[in-house]
């Protein structure tokens, strides 16, 4: 193939590429016609999410006086935004803070539903009524009544009435990190 043919075909290919790109860029420019911050905009702001979380945590009460249905433009007021935002209520007595609890021999540390324990020191065993027990999230196993609770493992208590106690015959206390509701018996 002669050099002038190569140059001519290259120029033609570039020209066709520029023309196709300009035609399709107009389509892409018109694709973003939704106004940001309106009900049609799928992106929400952090303040909107914070409002919905506060609303759910406060039992759905609304302390704002007005209503701005569908407005998620980032306002920090507490107005109703419409839609179904119902979440399950937070367990009373539950806490996101971690408490250090000492369990003496003969005592039982009973977790509320959703509580999490980490045995930091001592020999602990699971206390549970029935066949189901406590979830060891570290190993991914279910610990049933009477089984040893390993130290430094995250234990999840899915229902009330389940807990840990000091191993029989052990004279040392347990040190347990607790997140959520609990009671010492």
């Amino acid at each position: 193939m002669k050099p002038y043919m190569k140059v001519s075909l290259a120029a033609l290919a570039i020209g066709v590429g520029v023309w196709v790109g300009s035609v399709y860029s107009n389509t892409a420019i018109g694709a973003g016609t939704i106004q940001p911050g309106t009900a049609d905009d799928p992106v929400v702001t952090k303040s909107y999410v914070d409002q919905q979380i506060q609303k759910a945590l406060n039992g759905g009460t609304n302390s704002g006086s007005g209503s701005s249905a569908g407005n998620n433009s980032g306002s920090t007021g507490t107005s109703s935004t419409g839609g179904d935002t119902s979440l399950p209520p937070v367990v009373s007595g539950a806490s996101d803070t971690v408490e250090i609890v000492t369990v003496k021999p003969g005592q039982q540390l009973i977790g509320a539903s959703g509580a999490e324990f980490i045995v930091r020191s001592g020999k602990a065993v699971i206390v549970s009524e029935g066949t189901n027990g406590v979830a060891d999230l570290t190993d991914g196993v279910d610990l049933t009544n009477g089984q040893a609770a390993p130290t430094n493992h995250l234990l999840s208590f899915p229902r009330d009435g389940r807990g840990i106690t000091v191993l029989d015959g052990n004279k040392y206390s347990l040190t347990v990190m607790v997140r959520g509701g609990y009671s010492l018996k």
Side-chain angles (χ1 to χ4, degrees):
M1 187 178 247
K2 298 189 182 209
Y4 70 90
M5 281 296 274
K6 288 182 183 178
V7 172
S8 297
L9 286 175
L12 179 64
I14 290 173
V16 168
V18 168
W19 177 76
V20 168
S22 66
V23 168
Y24 284 113
S25 73
N26 287 338
T27 304
I29 290 171
T33 58
I34 297 174
Q35 181 68 25
T38 63
D40 297 328
D41 186 13
V43 179
V44 296
T45 61
K46 181 182 180 310
S47 62
Y48 171 78
V49 173
D50 291 343
Q51 287 174 10
Q52 295 305 312
I53 290 171
Q54 277 303 98
K55 186 175 167 185
L57 291 177
N58 292 337
T61 59
N62 187 3
S63 62
S65 58
S67 172
S68 59
N71 184 5
N72 60 0
S73 62
S75 66
T76 57
T78 56
S79 59
S80 173
T81 55
D84 183 18
T85 59
S86 60
L87 294 175
V90 176
V91 176
S92 63
S95 172
D96 284 338
T97 61
V98 175
E99 295 182 46
I100 306 299
V101 178
T102 302
V103 183
K104 296 177 182 167
Q107 287 184 319
Q108 290 182 349
L109 180 62
I110 305 297
S113 177
E116 296 176 339
F117 293 176
I118 298 176
V119 179
R120 295 292 291 150
S121 67
K123 302 284 185 187
V125 293
I126 301 298
V127 175
S128 176
E129 299 172 1
T131 58
N132 293 329
V134 175
D136 180 351
L137 300 179
T138 304
D139 278 346
V141 296
D142 192 39
L143 303 175
T144 57
N145 189 34
Q147 276 188 295
T151 57
N152 298 317
H153 282 222
L154 180 60
L155 306 175
S156 177
F157 295 81
R159 296 186 189 266
D160 293 336
R162 301 175 187 184
I164 59 174
T165 187
V166 179
L167 180 68
D168 285 338
N170 196 351
K171 61 181 179 177
Y172 299 108
S173 298
L174 298 175
T175 302
V176 184
M177 293 172 55
V178 178
R179 181 182 313 158
Y182 70 95
S183 63
L184 267 174
K185 292 183 180 179

